[in-house]
Amino acid sequence: MTSRKPRTVLFRRRREQKTNYQSRLKLLKSDKARLVVRLTNKRIIAEIVKFEMAGDKVLFGTDSTALGKLGWNYSYKSYPAAYLLGLMLGKAVLKKGITEAILDTGFDTPLPKGRIYALLKGVLEGGLQVPHGEKDIFPSEDRISGKHISDYAVSLKDKTIHDKRFSGYIKKNASPEKITETFNKVKQKIMSEK
């Protein structure tokens, strides 16, 4: 006879790193809509989700590729794209009557001054109320507007290195030196939509 303790088998979604049931329970107890943010290798996904007994219901969802319709032809996973997506989401859900949500990042731990907080800043400036802690968690305005990208592109003296580093932008006919101008234009379009 063995005296070993039986091994506890975790739920399938927990084993697959898809659901953290402890944090999910805390979020559901608040009885508020959740701002679900997921970062992928090519884009950022943001949804407003409400819990129902039959399952979660997505009230509004979008991803950063929707910025392409507004003239954004740069990376869909950068700081400026995250902020613009949050701003677009915040403005859109206010029209649907949703005024408050709780941030849900799943297994991702948001880093201070990271892309998730750039998206959160856009959501807050769009008008949606999301509880958050300190004020110094948000990235700087230069990073949000993409100034760090344009400064780096200007600082590269060698054209071959420049073209290699920004080959994705060049394929889309986008100049990395003008990312801040494009950011401001897209932001104005989002703010002027009714």
Side-chain angles (χ1 to χ4, degrees), residues 45-163:
I45 303 167
E47 299 174 331
I48 300 294
V49 178
K50 184 76 174 165
F51 173 74
E52 292 182 357
M53 290 306 287
D56 286 349
K57 181 178 181 184
V58 177
L59 304 175
F60 183 81
T62 187
D63 67 1
S64 53
T65 57
L67 296 171
K69 296 175 185 169
L70 299 172
W72 183 257
N73 53 355
Y74 294 94
S75 171
Y76 292 130
K77 61 179 184 174
S78 63
Y79 282 83
Y83 173 82
L84 292 171
L85 176 66
L87 187 64
M88 187 171 64
L89 180 87
K91 299 281 282 180
V93 297
L94 279 180
K95 294 175 191 171
K96 294 187 175 265
I98 301 167
T99 58
E100 193 174 15
I102 293 179
L103 183 65
D104 179 3
T105 59
F107 278 101
D108 294 336
T109 302
L111 299 172
K113 302 184 187 323
R115 289 181 291 168
I116 291 177
Y117 285 118
L119 184 135
L120 180 61
K121 185 171 184 176
V123 167
L124 292 170
E125 290 182 11
L128 187 67
Q129 298 297 317
V130 180
H132 59 284
E134 315 136 23
K135 296 288 181 192
D136 61 340
I137 58 175
F138 298 117
S140 66
E141 289 297 324
D142 288 346
R143 189 159 283 275
I144 285 176
S145 68
K147 187 175 182 305
H148 67 289
I149 297 170
S150 63
D151 289 347
Y152 178 65
V154 168
S155 72
L156 289 174
K157 304 290 186 220
D158 189 2
K159 179 142 176 64
T160 57
I161 293 174
H162 178 278
D163 292 349

Side-chain angles (χ1 to χ4, degrees), residues 22-40:
Q22 290 176 340
S23 65
R24 179 175 164 78
L25 182 62
K26 288 177 188 174
L27 292 171
L28 296 180
K29 282 182 178 179
S30 70
D31 199 35
K32 295 179 183 172
R34 293 178 289 139
L35 169 61
V36 178
V37 179
R38 300 294 183 258
L39 305 175
T40 69

